[in-house]
Structures are given as structure tokens and as C-alpha cells.
Amino acid sequence: MRFDTTGKVSLDHIYTQPDPRAYFTVLRTLDYCVPQLAKPYFAKFVKEYREIHRVAVPKVVDIGCSYGINAALLKYDVTMDELYARYGGDPAAGLTREELLTRDRELSRARRPAHPTRVVGLDASENALSYARQAGFLDDTVHADLESHDPTPDQRDRLTGADLVFSTGCIGYVTERTLTRVVRAQGGHLPWMAHFVLRMFPFDPVERELAALGYETTRVDGMFKQRRFASPEEQALVLDTMSEAGVDATGLEAEGWLYAQLYVSRPYGPAGRTRSLGRTRSLDRHDPNREQL
């Protein structure tokens, strides 16, 4: 096993295949589940944005979207268990990429979107984006590394008009540089944001940059399982990283799972007011009850 600088096992190879079979085969063994846990929160967020802003079909930018998993769950009301069975079983193993795509297009045509939404996927993997777009999961794609570069005029056009921005697990590898570039592509409009962030990664730098752009960030109470550790060595390395960052893993990562927290960022003022996604905690630095990450 290879490990990255954070201690996590490197799974880069599963994100760059021509189709999602390796992705689901590997992650199934790790009980990867955060997209399923995120689904009701994203659905509620979309619904509330639609009602408050009277937008019939909100545009969502999914950062680190890979094969369009969040889009498939949100738009077609599938589950992670369905997707694991769909791509990880024997029938899928015998299909060509084109046959797999044909089957997925039938899914996207057969299921009326549960939550009418236009999803634009942003990712560094051209193969994953291509598959998700051809399958009908993503409505548009942006193949870019916004950590290193500003979006090109074409990429900016594809990002412009976003109503909401989501992510499930990429923050930490993707930083405030990407998020601020996505926001600046909107020409002054501030989309609502919801990010599931592994506890091993501090959200403070992102919060500060978003605040400078006009956002208020809260953390939804609760912890969300992401996946099991791939090995005792990965767990030990991650626990070391968390200890160095001052994050207490007792009862959580120490028990064998990676955990994420949900951060919600909305513009200050009436444009960002909404019903709560759940109990939230302010990230105001002057709040004595603020939890240190």
C-alpha cells in the first residue's frame, strides 16, 4: 500500500479508470458511505434554495465529483447500495464500457429526477468526468485543477450561474484556492455551499477566505462516517496526523472509521437565510463554545 502525506492510503488509480467499476469495487470493501449520508442534506438544501429563490432547476457545482456519484444519488434517487450492486457484481464485469454506458443512459432516462437539478462536475480526472457526462449523471463538466490555475474563459462559463456548491471528501486536497476561484467565477453572485470535510483536515483556512468573500459558515452538529480504514497502518498514520493537529480521535477514528463534519456556508444577510439543515454551531472565532478542529 502507498500512503499520501496525510497518512491516507493512495486510491488515485480508482478515479482515473475509463468507467466506475474499479471505484465501486475497491470502495465497497471499505464501506464507503458518505455520499449516501450526504444525500438527504443536499436534497434539503436544494429544496430550500429552490423555494426561497424561486429557481425551478437550481444549478449545482459538485467539486471533486469523480464519476458523478452525488449527482446520480440526488437526481435519480438511487442509493449507494444500488450503485455498488450495479458496478461491482458479475453482470457488470462482463460488459464493455459502451454497454455499461448504454445501461446507465437507460437509468437516467427511466427515472424522473427526484430533485430537478442541473449538476456540473468539477474534477481533475478527465476519464471520470467523461463517463459521468456520457452516462447522463452530470449535465456539464469542468476538467480543471483550480488549485494551481484560474479557470479558463470556457471553464468560467461552465461554472458561472451556480446556485449551490457541494463536496463530499475532497476538502483537504482541494483547498480555499479552488473554492474562491469557483466563487469568483460567479461575477458577484454567492452560491450556497455545503461541504463534508474529514475531521483530519482543518476548515479554518476555507472559512476565513469565504468570510472575506461575504459568507457566514456554520457546522452542522454530528459526525458522518466516510469509510473504514484500509489497514491498521493507515489508521495509525492518520491518527498521528490528527494528533499533531490537536484533534481528539477517541471514540471516532480510533475505533476504525474516518469521520467527516458538515460545514454550511451562506451569504451574509437575507440572501443566505434558510431553515436549518439540523442543529448548527457558529464558527465565530469569538464564540467561547466554538469547537477546535
Side-chain angles (χ1 to χ4, degrees):
M1 284 185 177
R2 293 188 302 112
F3 301 92
D4 63 26
T5 57
T6 70
K8 289 179 63 186
V9 66
S10 175
L11 298 174
D12 291 349
H13 65 288
I14 70 173
Y15 298 99
T16 57
Q17 300 301 310
D19 63 64
R21 281 175 286 197
Y23 176 97
F24 283 102
T25 298
V26 171
L27 291 181
R28 188 179 201 173
T29 66
L30 302 178
D31 292 327
Y32 177 69
C33 59
V34 73
Q36 185 65 45
L37 300 179
K39 177 181 174 181
Y41 290 90
F42 288 167
K44 185 175 182 182
F45 215 34
V46 169
K47 180 176 183 290
E48 292 182 356
Y49 189 95
R50 181 186 295 119
E51 292 174 350
I52 290 171
H53 292 278
R54 301 185 182 279
V55 176
V57 183
K59 178 177 177 178
V60 174
V61 172
D62 184 7
I63 300 178
C65 65
S66 69
Y67 296 92
I69 310 309
N70 288 327
L73 268 61
L74 190 62
K75 291 169 60 177
Y76 305 117
D77 202 26
V78 296
T79 66
M80 284 297 286
D81 284 344
E82 287 181 84
L83 294 178
Y84 281 130
R86 186 177 189 83
Y87 298 106
D90 291 336
L95 298 178
T96 66
R97 180 180 184 275
E98 284 305 312
E99 289 170 336
L100 204 63
L101 276 170
T102 297
R103 193 179 67 164
D104 285 343
R105 292 188 193 108
E106 291 171 355
L107 169 68
S108 61
R109 286 194 298 265
R111 294 203 183 188
R112 180 180 296 274
H115 307 283
T117 309
R118 175 175 168 79
V119 182
V120 177
L122 169 62
D123 203 277
S125 171
E126 189 169 13
N127 279 346
L129 290 172
S130 175
Y131 188 91
R133 178 74 181 270
Q134 291 179 60
F137 298 159
L138 295 175
D139 300 286
D140 201 354
T141 58
V142 179
H143 177 227
D145 175 8
L146 299 188
E147 285 296 291
S148 304
H149 307 285
D150 286 329
T152 65
D154 177 67
Q155 292 165 351
R156 182 179 293 272
D157 287 344
R158 294 170 188 265
L159 293 169
T160 297
D163 297 300
L164 306 105
V165 177
F166 294 159
S167 70
T168 49
C170 68
I171 303 296
Y173 302 102
V174 166
T175 71
E176 64 276 6
R177 290 189 291 274
T178 290
L179 268 63
T180 55
R181 282 170 170 149
V182 169
V183 173
R184 288 180 178 131
Q186 308 307 316
H189 168 68
L190 298 181
W192 291 6
M193 294 194 180
H195 301 290
F196 283 82
V197 183
L198 286 176
R199 287 187 349 111
M200 64 188 294
F201 296 122
F203 197 69
D204 291 8
V206 177
E207 178 207 343
R208 285 193 294 269
E209 291 298 320
L210 291 181
L213 292 172
Y215 282 94
E216 179 179 18
T217 296
T218 57
R219 179 172 63 78
V220 176
D221 279 358
M223 305 293 173
F224 301 86
K225 287 181 174 179
Q226 194 215 45
R227 65 165 171 84
R228 295 185 185 277
F229 285 107
S231 68
E233 184 178 4
E234 181 189 34
Q235 183 179 13
L237 290 170
V238 168
L239 292 181
D240 285 345
T241 298
M242 296 181 72
S243 178
E244 291 172 4
V247 181
D248 184 4
T250 304
L252 294 167
E253 292 82 3
E255 302 304 315
W257 283 80
L258 285 159
Y259 280 84
Q261 294 174 306
L262 171 56
Y263 294 89
V264 173
S265 301
R266 305 182 184 90
Y268 287 106
R273 288 176 188 161
T274 179
R275 294 182 296 276
S276 173
L277 291 180
R279 293 180 60 195
T280 60
R281 175 166 294 175
S282 169
L283 296 192
D284 184 341
R285 280 179 167 66
H286 301 294
D287 180 355
N289 296 316
R290 182 176 181 227
E291 199 167 291
Q292 299 298 314
L293 302 181

